């Protein structure tokens, strides 16, 4: 999350600058050139510490990144030792022990379902690699299928900010300025139990309807032209922790298999333990052909992300050219691998996945108790330590607030005030791609029950205060 404040007012609220550099004086091409960003000094455990000494509880781990909290000495030491030993590896010629160990840990964590891992520096890079790998897979098949050049993904999805990743994503705001540059990708409906189901429609009927929509999408573009269907097992930024209904991904996988296409799971935000299991697909009874991973892989201690590749895909490449025609200067970066390896060891050694499940259940109960009945809270959803609250103007009709009111951003910025001092992650577009506001709560895997109680109570005050002021209650 970007921590920021601006002098004057925003959405009718007074906001005081905490920046040590005036907006017009900064040399940084910030995300927003008109705001004064809060000066972040350091982090300790679950707290972010500003230059003025004020502490903010990081209830979202940034963008669902900080799975161990901040200031973990084991991870910092592992990175330092690797940087002193060898900070860079030219993967054209060499490999490193730390990359080999990390990839072995990742592959073994899938119980043999995946056979190779590929380490890059961001989720967007991982998705770019997944797209290209899917294409190359069909070129290496025997006989090859060069006509497969298309992808199908979902509306209200987010897969990264680079052009290929943006093309398969369905986040309207992030796409709109760059639409002419993007490859043509067919979009189908997301599995949205809150807004997508018809009144009285059984879950099974809704899943069957979505499977039929996907099948029709294959038929419309020519099933023999499709490389893969791309989806997030739990939709993060675009829909706010939207989980799929039981049987949904099994149905989608069946359609892909019917037409000979691959299934790509984007687990950059929801994976590596965030959902309560190391891989979100473990809870869906489906194994993807290609999986992207990121955020909680390295917990924010280094830029690191990657791919996990199903044995069936790897076998085709091994029997074909034996080379993935893709590469980055900093792929397999030793410092990134060292951070990720140590983070994953800590998660395993400290049994943090069981804590994710237990604290996630407590968080869901407390959020529903404290704000579930609020007239502007439409839905509370999630899994593990990955939860969202969707806000509405009308609870009965699910009418969203106008986009220009920026409700989620205003709530998250209000949370940074001293009387709350809590950081959550805002999102928009959850109703129709433009309208619809939600905040994500995704704290570190090692949070305590006391932390969860504080988060729920503070969020309740924040939500109640914001809407009381907004609606003049």
């Amino acid at each position: 999350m970007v921590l920021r404040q601006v002098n004057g007012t925003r959405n009718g609220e007074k906001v005081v600058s905490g920046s040590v550099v005036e907006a017009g004086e900064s040399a940084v091409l910030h995300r927003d050139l008109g705001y004064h960003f809060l000066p972040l000094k350091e982090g300790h455990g679950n707290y972010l510490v500003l230059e003025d000494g004020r502490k903010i509880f990081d209830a979202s781990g940034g963008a669902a990144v900080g799975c161990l909290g901040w200031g973990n000495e084991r991870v910092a030491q592992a990175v330092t030792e690797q940087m002193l030993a060898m900070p860079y590896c030219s993967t054209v010629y060499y490999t490193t022990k730390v990359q080999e160990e990390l990839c072995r840990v990742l592959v073994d964590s899938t119980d043999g379902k995946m056979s190779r891992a590929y380490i890059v520096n961001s989720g967007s890079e991982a998705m770019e690699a997944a797209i290209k790998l899917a294409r190359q897979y069909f070129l290496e098949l025997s006989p090859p299928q060069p006509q497969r050049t298309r992808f199908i993904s979902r509306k209200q999805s987010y897969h990264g900010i680079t052009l290929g990743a943006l093309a398969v994503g369905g986040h309207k705001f992030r796409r709109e300025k760059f639409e002419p540059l993007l490859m043509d990708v067919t979009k189908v409906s997301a599995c949205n139990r809150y807004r997508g189901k018809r009144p009285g429609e059984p879950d099974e009927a809704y899943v069957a309807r979505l499977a039929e929509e996907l099948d029709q999408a294959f038929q419309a573009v020519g099933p023999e032209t499709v490389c893969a269907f791309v989806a997030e097992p739990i939709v993060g930024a675009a829909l706010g922790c939207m989980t799929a209904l039981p049987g949904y991904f099994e149905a989608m996988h069946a359609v892909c298999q019917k037409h000979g296409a691959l299934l790509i799971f984007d687990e950059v935000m929801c994976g590596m333990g965030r959902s309560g299991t190391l891989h979100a697909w473990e809870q869906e009874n489906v194994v993807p052909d290609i999986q992207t991973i990121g955020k909680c892989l390295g917990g924010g201690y280094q830029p690191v992300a990657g791919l996990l590749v199903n044995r069936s895909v790897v076998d085709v490449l091994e029997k074909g050219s034996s080379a993935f025609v893709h590469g980055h200067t900093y792929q397999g970066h030793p410092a990134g691998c060292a951070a990720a390896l140590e983070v994953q060891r800590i998660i395993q050694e400290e049994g943090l996945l069981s804590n994710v499940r237990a604290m996630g259940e407590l968080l869901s109960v407390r959020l529903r108790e404290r704000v579930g009945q609020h007239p502007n809270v439409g839905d509370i959803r999630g899994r593990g330590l990955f939860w969202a609250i969707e806000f509405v103007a009308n609870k009965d009709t699910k009418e969203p607030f106008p986009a220009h009111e920026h409700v989620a951003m205003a709530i998250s910025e209000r949370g940074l005030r001293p009387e709350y001092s809590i950081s959550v992650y805002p999102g928009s577009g959850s109703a129709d791609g433009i309208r619809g506001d939600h905040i994500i709560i995704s704290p570190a895997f090692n949070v305590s029950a006391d932390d969860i109680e504080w988060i729920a109570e503070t969020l309740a005050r924040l939500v109640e205060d914001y809407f009381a002021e907004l609606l003049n209650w």
Side-chain angles (χ1 to χ4, degrees):
M1 177 180 178
V2 179
L3 302 181
R4 63 193 185 191
Q5 290 185 322
V6 59
N7 289 321
T9 61
R10 175 177 168 84
N11 299 320
E13 299 181 34
K14 290 183 178 179
V15 188
V16 181
S17 173
S19 177
V20 295
V21 180
E22 292 298 318
E25 296 176 357
S26 176
V28 178
L29 184 64
H30 282 294
R31 290 175 179 237
D32 191 322
L33 301 180
Y35 289 97
H36 299 268
F37 288 73
L38 287 175
L40 185 60
K41 181 181 180 181
E42 56 193 12
H44 300 292
N46 289 315
Y47 288 91
L48 304 169
V49 183
L50 304 183
E51 289 285 353
D52 63 6
R54 188 158 67 86
K55 296 170 66 176
I56 296 172
F57 191 97
D58 192 358
S60 65
V65 174
C67 57
L68 297 183
W70 310 116
N72 189 289
E73 293 184 1
R74 274 186 59 177
V75 182
Q77 185 63 30
V79 173
T80 300
E81 290 176 0
Q82 182 58 54
M83 290 177 71
L84 291 172
M86 189 65 224
Y88 168 71
C89 175
S90 175
T91 54
V92 175
Y93 305 107
Y94 312 106
T95 188
T96 58
K97 179 181 178 182
V98 70
Q99 178 181 223
E100 297 292 336
E101 288 182 351
L102 172 62
C103 291
R104 175 50 57 193
V105 165
L106 293 174
V107 166
D108 288 350
S109 73
T110 70
D111 194 28
K113 305 296 193 305
M114 304 297 194
S115 65
R116 298 276 181 163
Y118 182 83
I119 304 302
V120 290
N121 305 296
S122 74
S124 296
E125 287 182 23
M127 183 51 65
E128 295 284 340
I131 292 168
K132 292 176 70 175
L133 181 59
R135 165 64 177 167
Q136 188 175 336
Y137 165 81
F138 287 105
L139 293 177
E140 305 252 349
L141 275 176
S142 182
Q145 299 180 28
Q147 75 279 7
R148 290 192 183 262
T149 60
R150 301 186 62 92
F151 290 82
I152 299 175
S153 61
R154 302 191 296 181
K155 303 168 187 174
Q156 294 168 279
S157 61
Y158 183 63
H159 299 293
I161 206 68
T162 51
L163 291 179
L166 201 59
V168 295
H171 197 287
K172 288 184 180 180
F173 176 76
R174 289 172 175 168
R175 286 173 54 96
E176 61 184 359
K177 288 182 172 60
F178 311 102
E179 289 280 1
L181 306 179
L182 304 180
M183 65 178 176
D184 184 23
V185 174
T186 300
K187 302 292 194 305
V188 296
S189 300
C191 184
N192 187 334
R193 66 179 76 200
Y194 178 60
R195 292 185 178 276
K197 286 181 62 179
R198 295 166 180 161
E201 184 176 30
D203 289 354
E204 296 81 2
Y206 180 44
V207 168
R209 179 159 61 86
L210 293 174
E212 177 62 22
E213 181 184 354
L214 179 61
D215 188 76
Q216 290 178 0
F218 270 93
Q219 300 291 349
V221 299
E224 73 286 350
T225 70
V226 179
C227 288
F229 173 57
V230 183
E232 301 156 273
I234 305 175
V235 185
L239 271 182
C241 305
M242 182 63 72
T243 58
L245 288 167
Y248 168 78
F249 279 111
E250 291 172 279
M252 299 301 106
H253 191 211
V255 175
C256 291
Q257 289 183 313
K258 172 184 175 181
H259 298 299
L262 300 180
L263 175 63
I264 298 175
F265 271 174
D266 179 350
E267 295 203 8
V268 168
M269 200 171 198
C270 66
M272 299 312 297
R274 180 57 70 188
S275 68
T277 52
L278 198 62
H279 308 291
W281 53 258
E282 295 177 70
Q283 301 175 60
E284 302 296 345
N285 296 317
V286 169
V287 180
D289 297 293
I290 302 171
Q291 171 191 355
T292 62
I293 54 177
K295 301 179 187 296
C296 290
L297 173 61
Y301 284 85
Q302 287 284 291
V304 61
L307 294 185
L308 285 168
V309 189
N310 196 295
R311 184 174 300 279
S312 61
V313 175
V314 174
D315 285 349
V316 168
L317 262 65
E318 288 180 341
K319 294 173 183 177
S321 68
S322 183
F324 179 28
V325 187
H326 187 71
H328 293 273
T329 299
Y330 292 112
Q331 73 181 68
H333 192 272
C337 290
L341 182 59
E342 199 64 23
V343 167
Q344 296 309 309
R345 284 172 172 166
I346 291 170
I347 290 172
Q348 182 176 21
E349 291 170 13
E350 297 185 3
L352 293 184
L353 294 184
S354 62
N355 195 60
V356 170
R357 293 188 288 272
M359 293 302 100
E361 179 62 27
L362 179 61
L363 179 61
S364 72
V365 169
R366 290 293 183 261
L367 288 177
R368 290 190 170 101
E369 288 177 348
R370 290 297 285 112
V371 299
Q373 300 306 308
H374 192 282
N376 297 111
V377 171
D379 193 33
I380 298 171
R381 53 182 177 259
R383 185 181 295 159
L385 281 174
F386 196 43
W387 286 85
I389 303 172
E390 181 170 345
F391 302 105
V392 291
N394 186 303
K395 198 179 186 82
D396 294 331
T397 65
K398 304 179 184 180
E399 177 68 20
F401 286 96
H404 69 266
E405 291 191 7
H406 305 291
V407 167
M409 180 62 77
I411 290 174
S412 67
E413 289 189 338
R414 187 186 186 103
L416 300 177
R417 293 180 181 182
E419 61 265 37
Y420 311 104
S421 291
I422 188 171
S423 176
V424 293
Y425 191 77
S428 60
S430 45
D432 57 16
I434 299 296
R435 298 179 304 157
D437 295 274
H438 62 263
I439 57 171
I440 291 177
I441 305 100
S442 49
F445 295 0
N446 49 17
V447 289
S448 68
D450 287 343
D451 293 329
I452 296 298
E453 297 287 356
W454 184 89
I455 290 170
E457 289 299 320
T458 304
L459 282 176
R461 284 196 299 114
L462 173 60
V463 170
E464 289 163 0
D465 292 351
Y466 173 78
F467 285 109
E469 185 173 313
L470 179 70
L471 303 175
N472 296 313
W473 288 358

